[in-house]
Each structure stands twice: as structure tokens, then as C-alpha cells.
Amino acid sequence: MTRIIADISVSLDGFVTGPDPGPAGGLGRGGEALHTWAFSEDPEDRRILGEATARSGAVVLGRRLFDVVDGPDGWSDEVGYGAGEAGRPSFVVVTSALPAALRLTGLDWTFVTTGLEDAVAAARERAEEASERTGTELDTVLMGGAATIRSAFEAGLVDVLSLHLAPVVLGAGTPLFTGAAPRTLVQRSVTPTSTATHLTYEVLR
């Protein structure tokens, strides 16, 4: 079965957004610094981004994050998951209600209203279909937000945690792991670059 990878950028003080994130505020005050690495020309940053995108068969995100990326200042052809890369995966959104409108109509969206586990199952199915279609073993990626990743940890759904540690202290914002259930992880790789430290952990069951 496809691996489930939680992949997210985080500040040195543990935040995945700055203060006041949302459709109008993006990743909050100072939050864009978390993703400097994704736009870097550092060869290792480019390799990590390209390999992660190429391995992504389907991507899960929460409704708040969806509202940001689908908002007027969100993703575009130049900015977004898979933008500029070889291809884009399917996207599955965990939500309590369907959006009234959709700006990013060029992407493959599925909205699941029956909870995170059903959303992950739907994404895994799409990733496995993509794996069969391409002949390549692809992953199911949880890209956020923080509540989605915490809930997945608590449900025992995550196989791998991939953190992109940005050299910034935000002071406030959305914490990644506050209130998360205890988990044991094994460090598998550490890649420092000029803009981030990329960390990969296996999550033990």
C-alpha cells in the first residue's frame, strides 16, 4: 500500500503559520518565510521539492488550508503544490461542507465530508490508482494544516513525517504539535541547505 507522509514546513519555535492566517492573510504575518526553501535555487532544495512532488500520488488538506490556497492570493500556475514540476496529484479536502465556488478548477479536487480517515482512504485509493497507471510507487501526502496532521497522528495514520525546518522564529501562529498524542519516531535523514533543514522521520506504530 502507498505510504502516508505528513509533509509540512515549520518554524524553529514550532509554528506552521504566523499570526492571523486565512484567505485574506495567507500564512499569517511572517508565515511566508516558512516556504522560502520551496522557491530557493539551492540544488538540494530543488532536489527535495522535485522528488517529493514526483512521489505524490494524492494530497490531503484541511478546509482552512484549502480556503487559503483557493483564495484570491493563493495558488496559481506558478505557485502551488506541483507548480512547475512534472505533474500534479489529486487533492482531497477534509471538510464539513462543500465550497460554494471553486477558483482552482484546473486541479483534481475531491471533498470528503465524513472525516479525516475517510479522506485519507480516498486519497490512498487515488494514489494507488496513479501508481498502477504510471508504474511508479507513489505516496499519499498530508500537507496540512496543523490540525489535520495532528489528528492523523492521533489516529495512527502517518507512516513518515517530513519536516522542513525554516530558520525563523515567528513568536506566535498555528502550532504544529500542541496537544498531540505521544508518538515515537526514528530519524531517517537530515539535509541542511542554505534556507532550511529537511528532516525525515519514520513514525513507529
Side-chain angles (χ1 to χ4, degrees), residues 4 60 94 112 114-124 151-152 154-157:
I4 299 177
V60 178
V94 189
V112 175
T114 52
L116 176 61
E117 292 196 30
D118 286 346
V120 171
R124 173 174 264 168
S151 296
E154 290 169 2
L157 297 174

Side-chain angles (χ1 to χ4, degrees), residues 25-63:
L27 293 175
R29 296 193 304 276
E32 296 302 325
L34 296 171
H35 293 157
T36 298
W37 72 270
F39 302 95
S40 165
E41 293 303 319
D42 185 295
E44 282 296 282
D45 286 329
R46 302 310 305 167
R47 178 186 65 79
I48 288 167
L49 180 66
E51 289 180 358
T53 302
R55 290 196 312 268
S56 299
V59 176
V60 178
L61 60 160
R63 178 57 187 267

Side-chain angles (χ1 to χ4, degrees), residues 41-200:
E41 293 303 319
D42 185 295
E44 282 296 282
D45 286 329
R46 302 310 305 167
R47 178 186 65 79
I48 288 167
L49 180 66
E51 289 180 358
T53 302
R55 290 196 312 268
S56 299
V59 176
V60 178
L61 60 160
R63 178 57 187 267
R64 289 183 181 179
L65 181 55
F66 166 78
D67 286 342
V68 171
V69 303
D70 194 54
D73 297 319
W75 287 354
S76 65
D77 289 340
E78 292 76 34
V79 178
Y81 200 104
E85 301 296 330
R88 294 191 180 183
S90 300
F91 296 92
V92 177
V93 181
V94 189
T95 182
S96 59
L98 300 179
L102 183 64
R103 181 178 66 87
L104 296 170
T105 56
L107 300 179
D108 177 14
W109 295 103
T110 299
F111 297 90
V112 175
T113 59
T114 52
L116 176 61
E117 292 196 30
D118 286 346
V120 171
R124 173 174 264 168
E125 181 178 347
R126 283 158 179 74
E128 290 175 348
E129 290 171 352
S131 296
E132 292 178 4
R133 187 170 60 249
T134 61
T136 303
E137 189 170 335
L138 301 175
D139 299 323
T140 301
V141 179
L142 306 178
M143 67 169 288
T148 298
I149 289 178
R150 282 198 302 270
S151 296
F153 262 83
E154 290 169 2
L157 297 174
V158 178
D159 299 313
V160 175
L161 174 64
S162 177
L163 293 180
H164 310 286
L165 186 63
V168 60
V169 174
L170 293 175
T174 306
L176 178 55
F177 283 125
T178 297
R183 287 282 171 186
T184 300
L185 295 85
V186 178
Q187 185 170 282
R188 294 304 187 197
S189 69
V190 180
T191 305
T193 71
S194 60
T195 59
T197 302
H198 305 281
L199 304 159
T200 302

